[in-house]
Amino acid sequence: MNNILEVNQLRVAFHTKYGQVQAIRGVSFHIARKEVVAIVGESGCGKSATAQSILGLLPKRNAVRSGSILLEEENLLSLSEKQMKEIRGSKIGMIFQDPMTSLNPTMTVGEQVAEAFVVHLGISAKKAFHKAIELLHLVGIPSPEARAKQYPHQFSGGMRQRVLIAMALALEPHLLIADEPTTALDVTVQSQILDLLKDLQRKSDMSILLITHDLGVVANIAQRVLVMYAGEIVESGSVEEIFARPQHPYTWGLLESLPRMDDKKGGKLRSITGTPADLLNPPTGCAFAPRCPYTMEICENTMPSEYSLSSDHKISCWLQDERAPKVSWTYERNALEQ
Ligand code: SF4
């Protein structure tokens, strides 16, 4: 099998005191071995819930999942919490947004990186600490022997994120899930962390699922992009296709909200007007209709069909219907040059 992960018709709903929030509404995608796939969208679109579903980290008391999530042909949705714990850290590594709260302030950095070796491989604490130093070196921590004996508060944000990457990679996972891994960092450090992830991925067989709200980050590292809106994938394709020939009005909006290199006057960033759909009462038609400048009558009451523009470029939008008016959208800047 060439795919490491296959997600089929995943649905997630959260029971709340106001009713059931349909956070993920029939999402299907795959990740091939050694592939970097990014899920992009505004907050609340379901991208983090998708990552947490794969990791089995959604709250049991109010989340309901259906569909299937196959990791190397094993359906993660049918595993017990104990089995999922075993898979997290060994087959799937994870990095989250906030490097400070993800580290234990009372343990040295070396001890925390070494913990995975002790727990999962059963090797001695001394041997594990040596392996931790090697990993800290691999992720670019200078003087790793000395730094391994220090505590998280003695590290900068970027260095703490490197430590988390070391922890995530300790057991050589087949899939790394990185949820907004650079959002809390300043721009220079962001690109260093992305370069590090890219470099580590190239040197291994690992696949990466990157979750981000920032299409600029995607251009740097991913091979394929899934654009999510209101719990659905509305457009997917290779990075080249999505940047050169985007077709969904929501993707156009995301691209327009990227800072422009040619904007010498420091003009305001454009944002997508309106508010995201209410997933307590999901619309019967296209969820983007209230915010879309091209809404037609059909958009408001019928879910758009999925159109294949090429083998790896798919879009759900009525503008692709042959009876729809032709809309041309141009974007002068090539965001890949960022
Ligand atoms: Fe806009 Fe209609 Fe396309 Fe939805 S289906 S994005 S409302 S044109």
Side-chain angles (χ1 to χ4, degrees):
M1 190 188 71
N2 217 10
N3 293 334
I4 178 117
L5 186 81
E6 286 183 14
V7 175
N8 300 304
Q9 282 302 309
L10 178 67
R11 291 181 179 274
V12 173
F14 294 105
H15 294 295
T16 71
K17 62 179 177 180
Y18 305 106
Q20 214 179 54
V21 177
Q22 310 288 328
I24 302 177
R25 305 187 299 144
V27 159
S28 300
F29 66 94
H30 67 273
I31 303 178
R33 283 185 199 278
K34 285 191 77 98
E35 190 181 30
V36 181
V37 173
I39 302 184
V40 188
E42 295 164 295
S43 62
C45 71
K47 56 190 192 306
S48 288
T50 303
Q52 285 170 355
S53 296
I54 298 167
L55 290 162
L57 290 177
L58 289 175
K60 284 263 173 319
R61 65 193 156 77
N62 71 339
V64 189
R65 302 178 299 177
S66 66
S68 66
I69 299 174
L70 303 179
L71 179 76
E72 295 173 323
E73 296 181 353
E74 185 169 38
N75 188 2
L76 300 183
L77 295 192
S78 64
L79 299 186
S80 66
E81 177 49 32
K82 190 167 168 243
Q83 289 169 312
M84 276 311 295
K85 233 181 186 164
E86 195 49 46
I87 281 182
R88 287 193 296 268
S90 57
K91 287 188 178 176
I92 311 180
M94 50 200 171
I95 320 169
F96 297 108
Q97 181 176 336
D98 188 345
M100 193 57 203
T101 53
S102 305
L103 288 167
N104 182 340
T106 66
M107 283 170 80
T108 67
V109 158
E111 285 165 348
Q112 293 185 62
V113 179
E115 204 174 20
F117 297 121
V118 176
V119 173
H120 288 271
L121 304 183
I123 61 175
S124 72
K126 195 174 168 197
K127 265 194 185 155
F129 200 79
H130 276 294
K131 279 174 94 61
I133 290 170
E134 282 168 25
L135 262 180
L136 291 175
H137 176 69
L138 181 77
V139 298
I141 305 257
S143 314
E145 292 87 357
R147 297 293 259 164
K149 293 174 192 141
Q150 294 181 330
Y151 290 87
H153 73 268
Q154 294 170 288
F155 284 63
S156 66
M159 284 295 155
R160 285 197 288 263
Q161 196 57 291
R162 284 175 192 266
V163 172
L164 286 179
I165 293 171
M167 288 166 72
L169 299 184
L171 299 171
E172 299 177 11
H174 305 172
L175 173 67
L176 179 71
I177 297 185
D179 191 352
E180 303 276 9
T182 59
T183 303
L185 307 171
D186 70 46
V187 180
T188 323
V189 183
Q190 275 186 15
S191 79
Q192 289 167 0
I193 294 293
L194 288 174
D195 285 347
L196 172 66
L197 282 175
K198 209 158 48 176
D199 189 44
L200 292 168
Q201 189 268 338
R202 277 192 195 136
K203 288 180 188 156
S204 69
D205 273 340
M206 185 172 70
S207 310
I208 299 181
L209 176 61
L210 174 72
I211 308 290
T212 179
H213 65 281
D214 185 348
L215 260 176
V217 165
V218 167
N220 258 319
I221 181 168
Q223 286 134 21
R224 210 148 47 78
V225 186
L226 315 173
V227 180
M228 258 187 110
Y229 186 78
E232 297 170 316
I233 294 173
V234 294
E235 183 164 12
S236 61
S238 65
V239 167
E240 290 76 16
E241 280 282 311
I242 295 294
F243 280 90
R245 282 172 290 282
Q247 297 294 327
H248 197 284
Y250 179 61
T251 313
W252 295 341
L254 289 178
L255 283 166
E256 281 166 357
S257 56
L258 282 176
R260 296 177 68 102
M261 299 283 282
D262 56 0
D263 186 0
K264 306 262 185 319
K265 293 179 190 151
K268 275 192 182 167
L269 294 183
R270 271 196 260 177
S271 60
I272 305 170
T273 52
T275 48
D278 174 11
L279 295 180
L280 265 174
N281 299 296
T284 48
C286 171
F288 192 55
R291 305 172 78 185
C292 178
Y294 311 102
T295 307
M296 299 165 279
E297 206 178 323
I298 188 172
C299 306
E300 292 182 341
N301 46 43
T302 313
M303 289 272 275
S305 308
E306 187 180 79
Y307 297 85
S308 289
L309 306 182
S310 67
S311 59
D312 72 345
H313 191 176
K314 294 190 171 52
I315 172 174
S316 297
C317 172
W318 285 124
L319 285 178
Q320 297 302 316
D321 190 281
E322 55 189 20
R323 293 160 294 177
K326 296 293 156 245
V327 172
S328 72
W329 179 86
T330 47
Y331 187 59
E332 279 139 33
R333 189 195 55 149
N334 183 355
L336 284 170
E337 285 167 5
Q338 269 200 102

